[in-house]
Amino acid sequence: MKRMLVLSALLGVMWCQNPSYEPDPGWRVPSEAAAKANPLAGKTALVGGGKKLFARNCVECHGEDGSGLEKKHSADLQLPAVQSQSDGALFWKITNGNPDRGMPSFSRLPELQRWQLVLYLRSLRTAPATLSESHDPPR
Amino acid sequence: MRLGYLTAWLIIAMLGWLPALAQEAPYFVTYDHHLEEPGNLEIATSSTMGVPRSNQRFYFAPYAEFEYGVMGRWTSELYLEGQSTSGDSAVFTGWRWENRFRPLAREHFINPVLYVEYEGINEASRIQKEVVGNAPEFGEPNSELSQTHAHELETKLILSSNVHDWNIAENFIVEKNLSQNEGFEFGYALGFSRPLATLASSTNCRFCRENFIAGLELYGGLGSTQGFGLHDTAHYAAPVIAWQISDNASLRFSPAIGLTHESNPALLRFGYSYEVRGFGGKLAKLFGGKP
């Protein structure tokens, strides 16, 4: 019974995910941008803010858990193809978007908020559920 | 009294019900390079209130905006506008259809946007969505002004930069009235704005500083090909503030101060906008298409 439940949950997740996602080879990040370090790295108290920003700006296309939505052709942010990219590369992609492939630019968000998003994206490769505890950032 | 309760309830419901997106620019006149996300529809209602000089009348000019993200680099917008002058009448003053195109896909230090708008308005129009040419005359009654129709073509070169959380935008405007021989009219708009806080808190707070953007706009006319320059032109300096009240909704306010004798002494502008996300997909689904 337990196995059946796990199997159904897995099938459910797979149904919602975007297994057909393939990264756009033309969406290249300049090397100096990819080399940028996240100024908020290690500040776990700020992940909660990143999660809120993710919910506001990204969930509609990438899904609650970031696994992507097939109907939106959006990236599965949990995939190694995404997670293996540097913080700087993710920041550049959030900033510039890929408008001809449906990913809008989020340059209207303040720079630190975009870094907060990168911070949260890093948590997607582990267990997003553990991030329900939130802390207010220093202003 | 009952109407007052109903209005208050509606406002409270509107503020509380909607869960707080993305920061909208606080400007009323200046455009920056950020376009509507593809498939999203933003519905907005704004108004311009003109505080009169001694020989003029107070006017209230509301307008509705429907802004749709057609593609990643193309936003289209329809305006419907009206006007009411104290001691005179209320009239429908026309419609506008604007399109903004972003030629460059990536973010640059200066991001250009090309703007083309067609206006089917009459001379009673007072929304002052842009200020061009020479200062308008406000003396004639609405009944006469609304009979004079103007078909206008307006183009703008929008240049906008994000520098350390500041947005700096410059608009250069050229307008041609296709109905009358007025030459080409010129105008400008400049804007600076910044969010009050740059880090997001983890809580869904409504009054956090991160939900507010403040700035300043400067706009005015520069005459026309029949007389270029600052003579007989209106200019305004306008502090602006926007409050992101929910994920989808925002309020804006701007008290503009007239800088020349030909300007109104003050313009008060209010705006409320609500974003319907995934509107295009929902509409397509409704008609049996692929979302």
Side-chain angles (χ1 to χ4, degrees), chain B residues 3-287:
Chain B
L3 191 67
Y5 276 127
L6 185 68
T7 312
W9 183 87
L10 276 173
I11 292 170
I12 291 165
M14 214 157 62
L15 296 179
W17 174 31
L18 311 165
L21 181 95
Q23 325 219 2
E24 293 289 332
Y27 311 128
F28 280 88
V29 175
T30 315
Y31 284 85
D32 63 21
H33 65 290
H34 302 299
L35 302 184
E36 188 62 54
E37 284 178 33
N40 286 8
L41 175 74
E42 186 178 283
I43 302 167
T45 173
S46 304
S47 59
T48 306
M49 284 184 270
V51 176
R53 292 200 180 279
S54 55
N55 58 341
Q56 295 170 344
R57 289 172 168 173
F58 175 88
Y59 63 82
F60 171 69
Y63 54 101
E65 300 171 52
F66 304 90
E67 183 181 74
Y68 183 68
V70 184
M71 294 169 82
R73 293 197 270 155
W74 173 20
T75 289
S76 194
E77 193 163 352
L78 175 73
Y79 292 80
L80 300 172
E81 55 167 276
Q83 184 255 93
S84 171
T85 302
S86 71
D88 196 340
S89 57
V91 286
F92 175 68
T93 56
W95 58 275
R96 298 158 186 247
W97 179 40
E98 74 170 47
N99 288 280
R100 279 173 283 150
F101 306 94
R102 234 184 116 162
L104 305 176
R106 303 276 177 259
E107 285 284 313
H108 298 271
F109 181 65
I110 296 175
N111 301 284
V113 174
L114 305 175
Y115 172 112
V116 185
E117 181 181 74
Y118 180 79
E119 302 171 0
I121 57 174
N122 59 51
E123 294 294 336
S125 173
R126 292 281 179 273
I127 66 170
Q128 307 215 45
K129 193 74 187 67
E130 69 284 318
V131 177
V132 292
N134 296 108
E137 295 287 336
F138 291 127
E140 293 174 50
N142 277 344
S143 53
E144 279 180 34
L145 290 169
S146 59
Q147 296 306 311
T148 313
H149 296 278
H151 298 280
E152 298 185 342
L153 195 64
E154 182 186 316
T155 58
K156 285 180 190 171
L157 173 63
I158 299 165
L159 301 175
S160 167
S161 313
N162 288 333
V163 185
H164 298 297
D165 300 321
W166 282 90
N167 174 260
I168 303 164
E170 307 92 33
N171 299 179
F172 304 96
I173 312 165
V174 180
E175 189 173 282
K176 173 76 180 134
N177 186 344
L178 305 171
S179 309
Q180 287 177 35
N181 186 19
E182 293 174 341
F184 290 89
E185 296 179 296
F186 305 105
Y188 70 91
L190 307 171
F192 316 85
S193 66
R194 187 186 188 278
L196 299 190
T198 54
L199 275 172
S201 60
S202 56
T203 50
N204 273 320
C205 50
R206 211 169 294 282
F207 295 101
C208 302
R209 284 191 297 153
E210 74 200 56
N211 292 336
F212 291 86
I213 306 179
L216 178 74
E217 279 186 289
L218 297 166
Y219 44 86
L222 294 171
S224 68
T225 44
Q226 295 176 351
F228 185 79
L230 300 176
H231 177 68
D232 195 25
T233 53
H235 300 267
Y236 296 92
V240 286
I241 187 150
W243 175 30
Q244 197 70 43
I245 48 177
S246 78
D247 274 350
N248 302 61
S250 68
L251 281 173
R252 289 173 298 152
F253 172 63
S254 170
I257 297 149
L259 300 177
T260 60
H261 186 264
E262 288 74 20
S263 319
N264 276 104
L267 295 175
L268 299 176
R269 296 177 188 267
F270 294 91
Y272 171 79
S273 59
Y274 183 80
E275 187 155 292
V276 184
R277 298 199 207 167
F279 175 81
K282 285 170 189 161
L283 198 66
K285 207 172 167 185
L286 193 68
F287 290 101

Side-chain angles (χ1 to χ4, degrees), chain A residues 26-27 40 46 48-49 52-53 56-57 60 92 95-100 104-113 116 134-139, chain B residues 20-23 33-34 37-38 40 72-73 102 105-107 162 165 195 197-205 208-211 247 277-278 291:
Chain A
W27 199 18
L40 308 178
L46 300 178
K52 185 173 83 175
L53 291 168
R56 284 182 182 180
N57 298 289
E60 189 190 343
W92 186 90
T95 302
N96 288 277
N98 195 4
D100 298 332
S105 151
F106 287 94
S107 64
R108 59 192 148 73
L109 293 176
E111 207 171 303
L112 285 174
Q113 290 190 11
Q116 271 185 289
S134 56
H135 309 274
D136 274 323
R139 302 278 171 88
Chain B
L21 181 95
Q23 325 219 2
H33 65 290
H34 302 299
E37 284 178 33
N40 286 8
R73 293 197 270 155
R102 234 184 116 162
R106 303 276 177 259
E107 285 284 313
N162 288 333
D165 300 321
T198 54
L199 275 172
S201 60
S202 56
T203 50
N204 273 320
C205 50
C208 302
R209 284 191 297 153
E210 74 200 56
N211 292 336
D247 274 350
R277 298 199 207 167

